Amino acid sequence: MRLPWQCPTCYAELGDKSYAAMLTCPYCGSLLIVNSKDKKFYRVPKDRGWYYFSKKDSPGYIKFGDFEEHYRYFEGRWYLLKENELYEMKSRVRESCESIVEEGKVEYLWGEFPFVAPPQSVIKTAICDDELYKVTSRIIILFFKSTKKPKDIFPELFKR
């Protein structure tokens, strides 16, 4: 019998991850989709197997096209670090502004994310004033510039 919140690949107990939509198992690197209702994870399929990723020193790292971003769920909120600018997730929205400034296919992931974007899916970034929109095939998320310091939210990225 599978326990709640257990990795389907290595059977590690990962704990309640209902705040995330997708994550990589920190033990085996399997890419997982979160099913909050049933308290379990599903492996993201790849051809005849599933995706594995090697560990990255970030709570949530994604590379799409020529772009890189870091995500963290901290004190009940999602944060996005992009080019040393910190953004805080405001809400999921139905529409974004038309100013798409980045677009690329997902190449690499590590950690936890507020959206589902498996490898080869397309992520877009639109920016209007101080609002940043993350656009995937299933969701649009609105982020605002945060007044917090990036090193307070992502200390592992500012060690030196």
Side-chain angles (χ1 to χ4, degrees):
M1 182 177 96
R2 207 161 111 182
L3 300 171
W5 302 117
Q6 188 175 36
C7 175
T9 305
C10 71
Y11 304 106
E13 291 184 51
L14 303 180
D16 185 347
K17 301 291 184 187
S18 58
Y19 55 86
M22 187 175 72
L23 61 103
T24 51
C25 175
Y27 300 100
C28 70
S30 293
L31 184 57
L32 308 172
I33 292 178
V34 179
N35 178 331
S36 298
K37 181 181 164 232
D38 295 333
K39 299 181 179 178
K40 63 182 181 180
F41 306 105
Y42 297 105
R43 284 185 294 236
V44 177
K46 174 188 179 185
D47 302 326
R48 295 175 188 234
W50 51 87
Y51 290 95
Y52 284 103
F53 293 95
S54 56
K55 189 168 181 146
K56 190 92 171 160
D57 192 22
S58 176
Y61 170 83
I62 191 163
K63 181 172 181 3
F64 61 102
D66 295 329
F67 312 104
E68 296 177 301
E69 297 175 342
H70 297 272
Y71 289 85
R72 169 168 267 151
Y73 188 76
F74 181 73
E75 295 181 346
R77 295 191 146 292
W78 277 104
Y79 292 90
L80 161 62
L81 181 65
K82 184 173 196 58
E83 298 171 356
N84 288 325
E85 287 285 339
L86 186 65
Y87 296 88
E88 194 171 321
M89 184 175 149
K90 178 68 175 171
S91 62
R92 292 171 171 86
V93 294
R94 294 190 189 279
E95 296 178 18
S96 75
C97 67
E98 298 296 318
S99 302
I100 302 290
V101 295
E102 299 173 345
E103 183 173 341
K105 286 187 178 180
V106 175
E107 298 172 21
Y108 186 91
L109 305 129
W110 178 264
E112 303 172 348
F113 303 94
F115 51 79
V116 174
Q120 300 306 308
S121 64
V122 175
I123 294 182
K124 299 176 186 176
T125 305
I127 297 178
C128 296
D129 302 319
D130 282 345
E131 299 175 346
L132 183 143
Y133 296 83
K134 294 308 302 178
V135 181
T136 71
S137 63
R138 295 180 177 213
I139 194 168
I140 301 170
I141 302 176
L142 173 61
F143 287 87
F144 285 102
K145 280 195 179 176
S146 179
T147 57
K148 297 182 178 171
K149 296 178 182 173
K151 67 180 180 179
D152 293 340
I153 306 298
F154 294 90
E156 63 281 334
L157 302 177
F158 293 91
K159 290 189 265 183
R160 288 184 197 193

